[in-house]
Amino acid sequence: MEKTEKTLNDLMDSNLYSRYSGLLSLSNISLQLIDTSGKIVQEFNPSPDFCKFICQEDETRICTDYISRLKPGKCDRFNCRYGLVNILLPVEVNNETIGYAVGAQVYTADSEYQKYLIDIMEMAKSKKLEPEFIAKSIAALKTIEENKIDIHEQICNHITQNICYDLSQSISTADKAIERLSIEKEMLEKKIIDLEAKNMSLVINPHFLFNTLNSIARIAYFEKSHTTEELIYCLSDLLRYNLKQEDELHTIGAEIDNIEKYLFIQKVRFKNRLEYEIDIADPIKTYRIPNMIIQPIVENALIHGITPKRDGGKIKITAEKYKDDIHISIIDNGNGFPKEVLESLQQSDNRLGIGFRSTDNRLKRYFGEDYGLKITKSDYSGSTVTISIPTKPNARRS
């Protein structure tokens, strides 16, 4: 056993995460590696703050709900006392369990109601924490579709099996190594295609970035720098949302939540020079739209409409349902698009024009030629850009 533990420690000292970064980038749901006593030895994707700072006795050890279920060789999927779905996968070498992969820590649609049953004030008293921090931590807990949890579990299973292979002395043939690498290569290539489609160039590992941001946020919390803490969490959420796969439709509500975080950050930057208002009825928020459609338009309104004005201005986002269509309008009371910018939108070799046309083409590719982007107003009193999508999308992607 001592030799096995040394091998595990050696693996932790090496760059374990980098081996599986391709797989891990396919899911932002929590995943950690623990030893048989419940001590966290590697954090792949971080746990929610609710689990880390409230449920766990300390940040280095998994919660008691997990510890009570640690049984050699046994996989488990269970709901904790607060209704969160959790997975538990043993890491075995030579038929001996030397640790576990644990994670998920999310709600499903069926269990989400349990978050609203948590007694915040009682928890704050027993944990000696601020009620506001607990409320924010609960609100940040994710609700995930059942099939996505299944996919995450498959990814975790694959990583766990590979860790077992890496630790086992019995893996000596090249064929098994090639088989393992070919699966990772296929999944990595898929992610690279997704990133290229979004015209991204990531020169820093996003997981490292998120972990760093969360660490800074924790320091800000303990130093009672609450604005800094919230800014960092907003930025982390923005980056995560930006990395979501582009070939999926997301709810308008999720898009707007992303926009609110973006505008919160900009509000801190511009202070009284920026005001914003979001007026979208809850029923409209359930309709679906490709991700990162609204944010570039809002950013453009800020850069070209609000920033040039000495006193700043206001951005308003509205949405209305008309027959079988949804119209989302981004309105600003800035100076309007400069003439050269309007002209550039018509030029195929201009970056800004490409950005607008790319967004318009994405919408048309999903929903058809009747939908897309339109600049419905641009003059000295401001600009209005309208996004039109159907209420019942019939994706036409090719």
Side-chain angles (χ1 to χ4, degrees):
M1 183 65 183
E2 183 178 350
K3 183 178 179 181
T4 302
E5 286 181 345
K6 186 175 186 300
T7 305
L8 180 61
N9 288 333
D10 288 344
L11 184 64
M12 296 305 105
D13 291 338
S14 66
N15 197 353
L16 178 64
Y17 174 80
S18 65
R19 296 190 186 187
Y20 305 108
S21 58
L23 296 175
L24 290 165
S25 63
L26 299 176
S27 174
N28 62 1
I29 305 174
S30 71
L31 173 62
Q32 299 167 93
L33 196 63
I34 64 172
D35 64 17
T36 53
S37 70
K39 181 181 178 181
I40 300 169
V41 294
Q42 177 73 44
E43 189 178 60
F44 291 109
N45 286 346
S47 291
D49 285 350
F50 178 79
C51 300
K52 180 169 292 186
F53 299 117
I54 300 172
C55 295
Q56 295 175 199
E57 293 183 2
D58 62 72
E59 294 181 42
T60 66
R61 190 171 300 277
I62 205 70
C63 74
T64 55
D65 280 23
Y66 266 115
I67 292 175
S68 66
R69 289 174 168 80
L70 298 183
K71 297 179 181 178
K74 184 179 179 182
C75 301
D76 200 358
R77 180 164 167 175
F78 65 92
N79 286 34
C80 73
R81 71 189 78 177
Y82 299 113
L84 292 164
V85 176
N86 295 266
I87 59 173
L88 176 65
L89 304 168
V91 177
E92 295 185 310
V93 176
N94 299 328
N95 297 319
E96 181 180 7
T97 300
I98 62 167
Y100 301 86
V102 299
Q105 297 167 309
V106 294
Y107 285 110
T108 64
D110 291 336
S111 66
E112 183 183 26
Y113 74 93
Q114 295 188 53
K115 75 157 67 171
Y116 304 109
L117 301 179
I118 299 173
D119 189 333
I120 294 175
M121 299 310 296
E122 178 61 30
M123 182 175 284
K125 182 179 178 181
S126 64
K127 299 289 184 178
K128 297 181 180 178
L129 293 170
E130 292 294 327
E132 181 183 3
F133 175 73
I134 295 176
K136 284 184 177 181
S137 299
I138 293 171
L141 291 170
K142 297 176 182 177
T143 299
I144 303 293
E145 293 92 336
E146 193 79 37
N147 67 318
K148 289 188 178 180
I149 298 176
D150 293 337
I151 292 170
H152 180 69
E153 186 169 2
Q154 291 173 20
I155 293 172
C156 295
N157 244 319
H158 178 72
I159 291 174
T160 304
Q161 290 172 10
N162 275 274
I163 291 173
C164 293
Y165 294 153
D166 288 334
L167 292 173
S168 174
Q169 298 300 316
S170 64
I171 305 302
S172 58
T173 65
D175 288 343
K176 292 182 179 180
I178 292 171
E179 179 183 358
R180 180 178 78 248
L181 291 172
S182 66
I183 295 173
E184 292 185 17
K185 178 176 177 291
E186 180 181 342
M187 301 188 81
L188 278 168
E189 286 175 344
K190 180 182 183 300
K191 188 60 179 176
I192 289 169
I193 292 171
D194 289 341
L195 292 174
E196 288 176 343
K198 299 176 79 170
N199 195 27
M200 288 182 183
S201 178
L202 298 179
V203 295
I204 188 168
N205 190 302
H207 181 77
F208 167 77
L209 184 58
F210 297 143
N211 271 352
T212 303
L213 288 170
N214 285 334
S215 296
I216 297 170
R218 291 170 206 155
I219 293 170
Y221 169 74
F222 288 117
E223 292 181 350
K224 301 189 183 302
S225 302
H226 298 304
T227 301
T228 303
E229 177 194 10
E230 193 164 357
L231 276 172
I232 293 167
Y233 280 131
C234 282
L235 177 59
S236 181
D237 288 344
L238 279 174
L239 291 170
R240 287 189 187 281
Y241 188 83
N242 193 49
L243 286 172
K244 285 186 177 181
Q245 293 188 16
E246 194 176 85
D247 60 354
E248 295 181 2
L249 293 176
H250 302 277
T251 63
I252 292 175
E255 275 281 292
I256 292 302
D257 183 59
N258 185 57
I259 294 299
E260 287 184 306
K261 291 182 174 69
Y262 171 79
L263 287 172
F264 173 80
I265 293 173
Q266 296 292 5
K267 174 69 174 175
V268 172
R269 175 188 175 191
F270 290 103
K271 297 182 173 61
N272 293 335
R273 292 186 63 227
L274 172 64
E275 299 295 332
Y276 63 87
E277 178 185 353
I278 298 175
D279 184 16
I280 297 180
D282 287 341
I284 290 180
K285 291 181 180 179
T286 62
Y287 294 106
R288 294 187 171 270
I289 191 172
N291 73 315
M292 293 301 292
I293 288 289
I294 303 175
Q295 190 272 339
I297 311 303
V298 173
E299 184 173 14
N300 184 78
L302 180 65
I303 293 172
H304 293 291
I306 305 302
T307 304
K309 295 183 67 176
R310 185 187 66 179
D311 296 328
K314 181 176 181 178
I315 295 174
K316 183 175 182 179
I317 304 173
T318 65
E320 61 178 357
K321 181 175 180 290
Y322 179 73
K323 295 184 179 178
D324 292 328
D325 294 341
I326 300 291
H327 299 290
I328 304 169
S329 295
I330 296 88
I331 307 161
D332 69 75
N333 63 349
N335 294 326
F337 286 94
K339 182 179 178 181
E340 62 272 16
V341 173
L342 281 173
E343 291 174 352
S344 74
L345 298 181
Q346 309 301 324
Q347 297 174 10
S348 61
D349 60 344
N350 182 275
R351 184 177 178 183
L352 180 62
I354 290 172
F356 265 74
R357 281 198 311 281
S358 174
T359 302
D360 185 55
N361 287 339
R362 282 181 64 201
L363 290 165
K364 284 178 166 53
R365 188 168 75 247
Y366 270 100
F367 305 126
E369 292 298 319
D370 293 335
Y371 302 97
L373 262 185
K374 186 176 182 182
I375 300 174
T376 54
K377 174 194 170 185
S378 182
D379 56 32
Y380 65 91
S381 65
S383 301
T384 301
V385 177
T386 299
I387 300 166
S388 59
I389 61 171
T391 57
K392 298 178 181 178
N394 180 19
R396 305 170 26 155
R397 298 175 67 251
S398 57

